[in-house]
Amino acid sequence: MFNKLKAGVIASLVYAACITPAMALDFTFYAINSSPAGYTQNDLQQGYYVEILQRVAKHLDLVDPKVVIAPYPRIVNALIRNQDGVVVTCLFPNESFTENIYQPRRVASFQTSIVSLPGAPIDWDNLAGKKIGTLRGASKVYGDIFHQAVEDEQLKLVAMSSYSQALKMLEAKRIDGFAGNLGVILSLAEQQQLALAAPANITKRDSMITISVSPSVKNGNEVVAQVDEIIQQMIASGDIQDIVERYLPDEIQQR
């Protein structure tokens, strides 16, 4: 998908710094509603995705930008059905993304895993027949090994609305395991004082800056190039690493 846009992005980067096409557009920023990625505390929005997107909005010189904290399915729907302006978020790649959705650059890398309780640990040898929770629609983005297990009906997927709900369901033994971002899972489990068995690791996945450009936007290449350049500079300066590590101290990102 990116190759299709690559030539236009490179050309746009030459003059992206001296023009501001973003200022004339309607931007919506979305952060997934899973602490510590995106949440509200004491009436303030917090989380590593929230802070990354707020920095992007600031560099775009947007006036009073808002970050919408929403469930994964709502964000994917907003990306796919975007008909007015630009939607920006951070997500793993998804096969359902259309040609108007671009993921030009990695924001961070995260380990995806299946977690379970110490008394009933799950590994890849005893996965058959287990009820595994995932965020609705997210099973397709956790890597080939997990997706193949789903396709082969080795396990039963149970849709979760949030990581917090999933861990509560796991603690109540209503599901056998939960698949997701291990850093987020461990952070929440510590807050909830929930002991977990050793995780069954799936794969490392790259979280990408994700940009949906409405077909009505004439300078879409320039906007994607601007956002991409901002993320590139934030990575080079260590800003993104600092943000992620403040919420997930065990997640070490490349500068």
Side-chain angles (χ1 to χ4, degrees):
M1 181 183 298
F2 181 53
N3 287 336
K4 175 182 177 183
L5 185 72
K6 189 173 182 180
V9 168
I10 293 174
S12 298
L13 278 173
V14 175
Y15 57 90
C18 60
I19 59 174
T20 55
M23 295 179 66
L25 296 174
D26 181 18
F27 270 76
T28 306
F29 296 88
Y30 282 95
I32 195 166
N33 68 331
S34 294
S35 173
Y39 60 99
T40 301
Q41 187 174 66
N42 299 326
D43 296 326
L44 294 176
Q45 290 185 329
Q46 299 186 41
Y48 54 83
Y49 281 157
V50 168
E51 288 198 26
I52 289 170
L53 293 169
Q54 287 174 337
R55 296 277 186 93
V56 171
K58 180 179 180 180
H59 286 297
L60 287 170
D61 293 326
L62 300 178
V63 178
D64 194 27
K66 297 292 191 300
V67 176
V68 180
I69 299 174
Y72 178 83
R74 179 181 168 190
I75 297 174
V76 172
N77 186 63
L79 288 165
I80 293 174
R81 297 182 179 277
N82 175 27
Q83 294 296 315
D84 183 22
V86 181
V87 174
V88 183
T89 186
C90 301
L91 291 178
F92 295 148
N94 189 314
E95 293 178 359
S96 67
F97 289 164
T98 63
E99 63 180 6
N100 292 325
I101 300 173
Y102 307 103
Q103 294 188 301
R105 192 167 301 277
R106 177 186 68 84
V107 174
S109 296
F110 296 105
Q111 177 67 51
T112 60
S113 305
I114 303 173
V115 297
S116 52
L117 297 177
I122 286 178
D123 57 40
W124 290 103
D125 294 325
N126 68 359
L127 192 61
K130 296 294 194 299
K131 292 188 293 184
I132 306 298
T134 66
L135 295 188
R136 186 175 290 105
S139 63
K140 295 181 180 179
V141 306
Y142 290 152
D144 293 340
I145 186 173
F146 185 78
H147 185 57
Q148 192 60 51
V150 174
E151 290 292 299
D152 294 342
E153 299 183 348
Q154 295 181 32
L155 51 86
K156 179 180 179 182
L157 286 185
V158 182
M160 302 283 109
S161 62
S162 68
Y163 277 57
S164 296
Q165 181 202 24
L167 291 184
K168 290 176 182 177
M169 292 273 284
L170 180 62
E171 185 175 24
K173 300 182 179 179
R174 296 176 62 185
I175 55 176
D176 300 304
F178 174 63
N181 181 326
L182 183 60
V184 174
I185 291 171
L186 295 180
S187 177
L188 280 177
E190 182 178 0
Q191 292 177 28
Q192 298 179 17
Q193 298 183 324
L194 176 63
L196 298 173
N201 291 331
I202 304 171
T203 187
K204 277 271 192 178
R205 297 293 285 170
D206 288 338
S207 177
M208 312 292 290
I209 188 69
T210 305
I211 310 160
S212 172
V213 181
S214 167
S216 64
V217 175
K218 295 180 180 180
N219 58 344
N221 283 7
E222 298 170 16
V223 174
V224 173
Q226 278 192 296
V227 176
D228 179 41
E229 186 176 34
I230 289 167
I231 292 296
Q232 184 177 358
Q233 292 172 353
M234 289 176 65
I235 291 172
S237 68
D239 286 349
I240 287 181
Q241 181 181 12
D242 291 341
I243 290 170
V244 173
E245 289 184 358
R246 191 161 63 251
Y247 290 94
L248 297 173
D250 292 330
E251 293 286 343
I252 307 300
Q253 310 301 327
Q254 296 179 359
R255 288 187 183 269

